[in-house]
């Protein structure tokens, strides 16, 4: 019952997620339809105004023409002009009427079927109500010089028929556009939102199973922001998997390396308790302290490496002369090299100044030099060179030691990794990991090359300035 109660709230949330595509489609269709209606309305208004303007221009031009004829030839001239135009069909069908001073119709000519039209003065006030949207006879009137009134009119029936046809066509086009817009919106939003659904499915799978080996399906590399988000999420999972694998390997190595000193500490403490000898107990305590320091050193170094790799290490950068920094490391290990019978030579090249944390970089060169001396037999040589290569400072540490086997070379930077031949030497197996972490934290790079039995060369490259 408890599990069922916990799963119940997830269903409406999943429904809302699936509704995202529909909501986007509806928004898309709404914007599409509204914009289409606005454009159609503007087009309809412009066409209606253009057709009305054309009819009105024809009426006014005819009024001016007939008024001119009346002034030159009287009523007879108007009658002849109307008859000629009717026979030739040069002009559209028009209503023409001449009203005398006594309000008597001196001349009237109306095309067949126009008698039922209501008249509407062209320049008079618009009539609302029953005449709206119906065919009317639009008339323009002018008073002539002798008081006679000349009227010319034209029916708007043809104009209304054209506009109705336009409305019908626009209606069909709008329905088709709505259907296409809705279908296209569903398809487009579905394809756009699909990576989000894939991402949600992967995240839910990770939450449910705890496994991070699933990935969001890859799409176009040059896609949009959603595709970029999916790619970054996959990259993040790859990085997490790599960190988890490195952590597991480090834990295995830590467990392996801590088992021996912890067992030694326990054995020493048990023997000291059993013996009851104060001198043996004191010696046991000293040994336990030494082993404890070694374990603490290992854990502190692991923490330093983790801080450097994750970018949270505090680097107090300052201008540092590289040649002096390497010379300090060489001077620090002079006694160790003499005691082991290894010759250490330092060839300072051009003076180079870098922006770095001096204590961190001093530890880098000290670790490399300690590593070279440790694995170089008596009578061998260690050679350090500091030089400049363009905008890069280069420090190389070469030795004539036992070298590194090719199968071990790629893994020497791993935490607590020690090849079998190196386990005879005392150490934590963290020196090179710390070197790599500090160098990369400074924006540099470190590389190694080696030939078994002939020695190894470690090269550190740091940006100048």
């Amino acid at each position: 019952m408890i599990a069922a109660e916990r799963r119940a709230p997830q269903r409406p949330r999943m429904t809302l997620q699936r509704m995202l595509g529909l909501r986007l489609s509806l928004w898309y269709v709404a914007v599409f339809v509204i914009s289409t209606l606005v454009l159609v309305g503007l087009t309809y208004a412009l066409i209606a105004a253009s057709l009305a303007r054309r009819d009105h221009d024809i009426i006014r031009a005819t009024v001016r023409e007939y008024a001119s004829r009346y002034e030159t030839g009287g009523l007879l001239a108007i009658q002849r002009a109307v008859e000629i135009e009717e026979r030739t069909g040069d002009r559209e069908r028009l209503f023409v009427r001449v009203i005398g001073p006594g309000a008597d119709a001196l001349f009237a000519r109306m095309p067949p079927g126009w008698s039922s039209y209501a008249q509407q003065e062209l320049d008079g006030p618009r009539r609302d109500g029953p005449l709206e949207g119906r065919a009317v006879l639009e008339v323009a009137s002018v008073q002539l010089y002798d008081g006679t009134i000349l009227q010319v009119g034209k029916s708007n029936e043809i104009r209304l028929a054209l506009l109705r046809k336009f409305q019908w066509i626009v209606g069909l086009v709008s329905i088709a556009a709505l259907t296409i817009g809705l279908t296209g919106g569903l398809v487009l939003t579905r394809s756009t939102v699909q990576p989000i659904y894939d991402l949600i499915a992967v995240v839910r799978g990770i939450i449910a199973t705890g496994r991070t080996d699933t990935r969001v399906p890859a799409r176009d590399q040059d896609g949009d922001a959603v595709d970029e988000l999916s790619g970054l999420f996959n990259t993040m999972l790859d990085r997490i998997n790599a960190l988890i694998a490195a952590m597991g390997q480090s834990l295995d190595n830590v467990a392996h390396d801590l088992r021996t000193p912890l067992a030694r500490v326990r054995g020493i403490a048990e023997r000291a308790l059993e013996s009851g000898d104060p001198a043996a107990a004191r010696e046991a305590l000293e040994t336990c302290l030494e082993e404890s320091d070694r374990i603490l050193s290992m854990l502190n170094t692991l923490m330093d490496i983790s801080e450097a790799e994750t970018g949270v290490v505090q680097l107090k950068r300052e201008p540092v002369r590289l040649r002096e920094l390497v010379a300090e490391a060489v001077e620090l290990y002079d006694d160790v090299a003499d005691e082991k019978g290894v010759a250490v030579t330092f060839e300072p090249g051009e003076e180079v100044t870098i922006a770095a944390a001096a204590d961190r970089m001093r530890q880098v060169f000290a670790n490399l030099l300690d590593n070279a001396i440790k694995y170089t037999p008596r009578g061998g040589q260690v050679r350090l060179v500091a030089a400049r290569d363009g905008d890069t400072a280069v420090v190389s540490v070469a030795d004539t030691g036992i070298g590194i086997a090719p199968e071990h070379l790629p893994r020497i930077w791993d935490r607590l990794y020690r090849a079998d031949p190196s386990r005879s030497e005392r150490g934590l197996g963290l020196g090179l990991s710390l070197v790599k972490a500090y160098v990369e934290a400074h924006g540099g790079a470190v590389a190694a090359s080696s030939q078994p039995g002939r020695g190894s060369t470690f090269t550190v490259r740091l940006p100048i300035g």
Side-chain angles (χ1 to χ4, degrees), residues 317-396:
R317 293 174 181 262
E318 58 184 357
V320 176
R321 293 183 178 181
L322 187 62
R323 187 165 57 188
E324 294 181 2
L325 200 63
V326 178
E328 291 176 5
V330 172
E331 183 179 358
L332 180 65
Y333 277 86
D334 272 345
D335 294 339
V336 177
D338 291 340
E339 183 180 351
K340 194 173 181 181
V342 175
V344 178
T345 59
F346 174 44
E347 300 178 7
E350 179 183 355
E351 182 61 78
V352 180
T353 301
I354 61 174
D359 55 341
R360 308 286 183 174
M361 294 310 302
R362 185 181 297 109
Q363 189 172 359
V364 166
F365 299 128
N367 283 4
L368 290 177
L369 186 56
D370 177 76
N371 199 66
I373 295 173
K374 184 185 300 182
Y375 297 110
T376 300
R378 180 175 296 275
Q381 294 182 351
V382 176
R383 178 171 171 266
L384 291 88
V385 178
R388 177 172 184 157
D389 183 11
D391 294 333
T392 304
V394 181
V395 176
S396 64

Side-chain angles (χ1 to χ4, degrees), residues 5 49-50 75 80 124 128 132 142 152 168 192 231 243 247 262 321 340 369 398 403 416 439 445 459 462:
E5 291 176 358
S50 178
L75 182 60
R80 288 177 180 175
D128 299 325
E132 189 69 23
V142 62
V152 176
W168 183 74
T192 302
L243 291 176
M247 185 184 302
L262 289 177
R321 293 183 178 181
K340 194 173 181 181
L369 186 56
L416 299 170
V439 170
T459 304
L462 296 168

Side-chain angles (χ1 to χ4, degrees), residues 26 63 79 81 147 232 236 384 399 401 419 451:
L26 292 178
V63 167
Q79 294 175 348
L232 291 175
M236 181 186 67
L384 291 88
D399 62 64
Q451 294 183 2

